[in-house]
């Protein structure tokens, strides 16, 4: 994607179902779980590269022995940093105690991180918050084993202030107004309550405190705790948690906004944000990896029992389509086909933009995640040409000459790798983006790939802000002297902020919003903009369920093509010679390509939860009042 958009995070949970000695004998190492977690996190590093964390729990350890370990990092390569620290601890222990090397029991007893329950997390630091304190997993400690709670998630709550106030009313004093802390404390409150009630019940049965501990672990109902804790949550989430005694869970939001997949065999249970990561790391088939159902929690008890339990009533499925277009790894079977379909479905618009002149058109893409939709686009171009060739050959009939046949068959889509991203240069200049001349050279071009006066079609995943297009890509592509540059977005126009975990919070950042604002100025309809502001302001203190998304009225007077045309004008550098056309995917084609993932609020403003309408109206108020701040 030419516009760097950050996704907050990815989760990995591994529960080993056999004793560590089993993995030592079968796979040659008691570090089997740790090694698999490293791979799981690396296979999801696309979901977060600013920070990473790892936590583990050892089952059935004796009192006085450490049973929980956690390590977090915000180093430049945080995953590698975490596991370098873990390896250093292991190697130091082996150096000091060579007798541990072949003894899995001793490794578990004396070396941290080597346990049966493992939780990993990768994240991007959004809104400038990238200190170590913001890195998951979060830890809530207690001397009672059952009350220890480790939480990591891929989520954002729209009503964190309300949830915070609820905790205060319960008598708590949360250390900060942050959704991760608030959610963890909410779960922790009902965990404490459940443990206390169980202890009273077990004590009445005649058991002493030491005897009560394993019985609490056995009887603790994780689903009941989650039902109480998540009752008022509004947001998108895949929430993973470990309890100190060894229970684990992954909870998914009622609309299925954020993804979560799981796999189980007789050796392991594994959960991840991406199905392909599980397939690759554990070498399992697509059909063997299941989705965690929306509104359900996958619960793994200490005894190894695995259940999928309904926690809330499911809502209409609105799984995030932006995951499919950009964030998730394209190696997933479904995502790969969906991205190809997005390229295929937008081809008719491209054909119109180039006046059906494929012979004098070069097709390319902006590296590198747009490559799959590029393949779909090119394949559709080939299908179009094949049909034309077939018609021409049939029209010539049996009298066609070899030369004529050769000329017809010779026409094919011209495919080139025109733009080349200079990753090292970008890394160097991001600290001072005002150096416009350096920014303009983030992309190189393949000289000679385009003939003078050719059409140049270049496809991108999505055009969100358009900054890189204007400041770098279009200017450098213009050096090839094409007649026309057609920039194609495989996603529709992004018009509305996200509030469920993707770093797109401000309306005025979106080029579609800027284009619509310019159109309002040209049509002398800024009075409507003021009316929308007043409507948003008037309902600001209403309950979330009563709030209407009035920002839709901002775009309503204009067609998608009008906005796209204005975007093309806004993004064209002043000195560009080529004509610039911007093409966006339609909402209908997006739904056709991603039929199981219809969450489209960025494009339509149809938020799956009431909190979304509150956030978009707040974003509009911020824009109108000139406040440069997030809306949630």
């Amino acid at each position: 994607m030419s516009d760097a958009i950050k996704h907050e995070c990815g989760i990995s949970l591994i529960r080993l179902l056999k004793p560590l000695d089993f993995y030592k004998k079968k796979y040659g190492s008691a570090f089997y779980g740790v090694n698999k977690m490293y791979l799981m996190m690396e296979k999801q590093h696309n979901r977060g590269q600013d920070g990473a964390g790892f936590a583990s729990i050892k089952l059935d350890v004796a009192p006085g022995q450490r049973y929980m370990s956690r390590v977090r990092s915000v180093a430049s390569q945080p995953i590698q940093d975490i596991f370098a620290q873990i390896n250093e601890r292991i190697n130091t222990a082996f150096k000091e105690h060579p007798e541990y090397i072949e003894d899995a029991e001793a490794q578990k007893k004396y070396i941290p991180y080597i346990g049966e329950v493992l939780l990993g997390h990768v994240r991007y630091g959004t809104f400038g918050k990238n200190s170590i304190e913001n890195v998951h997993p979060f830890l809530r400690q207690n001397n009672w084993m059952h009350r220890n709670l480790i939480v990591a998630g891929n989520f954002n709550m729209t009503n964190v202030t309300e949830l915070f106030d609820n905790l205060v009313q319960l008598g708590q004093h949360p250390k900060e107004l942050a959704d991760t802390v608030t959610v963890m404390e909410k779960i922790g409150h009902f965990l404490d309550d459940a443990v206390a009630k169980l202890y009273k019940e077990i004590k009445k049965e005649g058991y002493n405190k030491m005897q009560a501990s394993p019985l609490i672990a056995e009887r603790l109902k994780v689903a009941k705790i989650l039902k109480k804790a998540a009752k008022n949550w509004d947001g998108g989430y895949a929430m993973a948690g470990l309890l100190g005694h060894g229970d684990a869970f992954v909870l998914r939001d009622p609309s299925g906004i954020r993804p979560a997949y799981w796999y189980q065999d007789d050796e392991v249970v594994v959960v991840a944000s991406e199905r392909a990561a599980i397939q690759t790391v554990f070498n399992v088939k697509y059909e063997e990896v299941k989705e965690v159902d929306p509104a359900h929690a996958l619960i793994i008890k200490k005894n190894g029992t695995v259940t999928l339990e309904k926690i809330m009533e499911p809502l209409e499925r609105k799984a995030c389509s932006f995951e499919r277009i950009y964030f998730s790894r394209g190696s997933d079977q479904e995502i790969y086909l969906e991205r190809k379909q997005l390229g295929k479905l937008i081809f008719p618009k491209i054909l119109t933009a180039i006046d059906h002149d494929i012979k004098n058109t070069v097709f390319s893409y902006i590296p590198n995640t747009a490559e799959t939709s590029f393949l779909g686009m090119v394949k559709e171009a080939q299908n179009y040409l094949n049909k034309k060739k077939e018609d021409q050959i049939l029209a010539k009939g049996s009298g066609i000459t070899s030369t004529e046949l050769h000329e017809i068959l010779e026409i094919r889509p011209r495919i080139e790798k025109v733009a080349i991203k200079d990753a090292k240069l970008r890394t160097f200049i991001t600290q001072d983006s005002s150096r416009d001349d350096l920014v303009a050279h983030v992309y190189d071009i393949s000289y000679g790939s385009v003939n003078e006066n050719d059409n140049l079609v270049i496809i991108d995943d999505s055009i969100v802000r358009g900054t890189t297009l204007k400041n770098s890509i279009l200017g450098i592509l213009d050096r090839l002297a094409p007649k026309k540059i057609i920039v194609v977005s495989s996603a529709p126009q992004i018009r509305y902020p996200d509030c469920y975990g993707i770093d797109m919070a401000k309306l005025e950042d979106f080029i579609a919003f800027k284009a619509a604002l310019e159109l309002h100025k040209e049509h002398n309809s800024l009075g409507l903009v003021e009316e929308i502001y007043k409507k948003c302001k008037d309902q600001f203190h209403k309950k979330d369920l009563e709030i209407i998304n009035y920002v839709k009225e901002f775009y309503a007077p204009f067609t998608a093509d009008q906005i796209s045309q204005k975007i093309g004008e806004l993004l064209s550098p002043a000195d560009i010679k080529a004509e610039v056309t911007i093409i966006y995917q339609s909402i209908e084609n997006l739904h056709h390509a991603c039929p199981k993932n219809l969450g489209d609020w960025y494009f339509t403003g149809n938020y799956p939860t009431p909190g979304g309408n509150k956030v978009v109206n707040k974003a509009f108020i911020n824009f109108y009042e000139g406040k440069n701040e997030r809306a949630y």
Side-chain angles (χ1 to χ4, degrees), residues 470 474 485 487 511 515 561-573 576 579-584:
K470 182 169 186 174
L474 287 172
I485 299 173
V487 183
I511 189 61
D561 287 342
Q562 283 179 296
I563 293 174
S564 292
Q565 183 178 346
K566 181 55 66 176
I567 289 171
E569 294 173 17
L570 293 177
L571 294 185
S572 297
I576 197 166
E579 178 188 345
V580 175
T581 298
I582 307 289
I583 295 173
Y584 281 91

Side-chain angles (χ1 to χ4, degrees), residues 195-473:
V195 170
K197 286 178 180 177
L198 278 173
Y199 173 66
K200 286 181 180 178
E201 291 173 11
I202 292 167
K203 187 178 179 182
K204 286 180 182 178
E205 295 173 19
Y207 296 97
N208 62 35
K209 292 179 179 180
M210 286 189 63
Q211 293 169 326
S213 190
L215 292 173
I216 291 172
E218 181 184 324
R219 298 183 190 181
L220 193 66
K221 292 180 172 59
V222 177
K224 191 173 181 180
I225 294 168
L226 295 176
K227 285 176 184 178
K228 292 179 179 179
K231 186 177 179 181
N232 297 315
W233 291 357
D234 186 296
Y237 48 89
M239 191 80 60
L242 313 180
L243 307 187
H245 62 274
D247 286 355
F249 66 86
V250 175
L251 172 62
R252 196 173 179 204
D253 68 81
S255 301
I257 294 170
R258 298 271 73 91
Y261 299 90
W262 67 287
Y263 163 78
Q264 179 186 7
D265 58 26
D266 61 348
E267 296 180 7
V268 68
V269 182
V270 57
V271 187
S273 295
E274 306 223 8
R275 173 171 40 206
I278 299 175
Q279 284 187 255
T280 300
V281 173
F282 290 89
N283 190 25
V284 295
K285 296 178 181 178
Y286 169 88
E287 298 79 13
E288 295 177 286
V289 182
K290 306 167 187 175
E291 249 189 296
V292 177
D293 295 333
H296 286 66
L298 184 77
I299 297 171
I300 311 163
K301 288 293 289 178
K302 176 181 177 289
N303 62 12
T305 302
V306 180
T307 56
L308 191 63
E309 301 191 41
K310 188 170 81 169
I311 304 302
M312 297 154 283
E313 286 301 318
L315 301 175
E316 182 182 0
R317 181 184 167 91
K318 290 290 184 180
C320 173
S321 58
F322 217 46
E323 292 267 359
R324 323 296 286 185
I325 297 166
Y326 174 56
F327 292 115
S328 296
R329 290 172 81 94
S331 54
D332 182 277
Q333 178 179 317
E334 275 189 4
I335 292 171
Y336 180 76
L337 294 175
E338 288 167 5
R339 289 181 181 176
K340 285 184 71 175
Q341 187 77 345
L342 287 167
K344 172 186 176 180
L345 293 173
I346 204 167
F347 181 73
K349 278 191 175 183
I350 297 169
L351 204 55
T352 301
I354 63 173
D355 298 322
H356 292 70
D357 184 12
I358 289 185
K359 184 177 181 181
N360 295 303
T361 298
V362 171
F363 295 90
S364 191
Y365 61 95
I366 295 175
N368 54 4
T369 51
E371 187 173 2
T372 307
S373 57
F374 167 75
L375 294 175
M377 175 184 71
V378 168
K379 186 173 182 180
E380 191 62 13
Q382 292 169 337
N383 292 339
Y384 168 78
L385 283 178
N386 287 344
K387 182 65 172 66
K388 284 197 68 174
K389 292 175 186 180
E390 182 182 310
D391 292 342
Q392 289 173 353
I393 292 168
L394 289 174
K396 292 281 185 181
S398 58
I400 190 170
T401 67
S402 175
T403 301
E404 290 172 331
L405 181 62
H406 179 76
E407 286 178 355
I408 293 171
L409 294 177
E410 185 63 22
I411 299 174
R412 57 177 61 88
R414 293 165 58 196
I415 302 166
E416 301 287 351
K417 187 170 183 179
V418 174
I420 305 161
K421 193 171 185 179
D422 193 332
K424 291 181 179 178
L425 179 61
R426 188 174 185 90
T427 301
F428 171 70
I429 66 174
T430 48
Q431 299 304 315
D432 184 3
S433 57
S434 64
R435 289 174 281 178
D436 293 340
D437 185 55
L438 288 175
V439 172
H441 293 82
V442 165
Y443 283 85
D444 287 335
I445 47 170
S446 299
Y447 291 98
S449 58
V450 177
N451 298 327
E452 191 170 339
N453 291 322
D454 276 341
N455 297 312
L456 173 56
V457 174
I458 192 152
I459 193 166
D460 196 356
D461 298 292
S462 183
I463 304 165
V464 184
R465 295 184 295 265
T467 309
T468 308
L469 271 177
K470 182 169 186 174
N471 294 343
S472 178
I473 296 171

Side-chain angles (χ1 to χ4, degrees), residues 525-536:
S525 56
L526 288 176
L528 176 62
V529 178
E530 185 178 1
E531 287 177 23
I532 295 168
Y533 165 71
K534 288 178 179 177
K535 287 180 179 180
C536 292

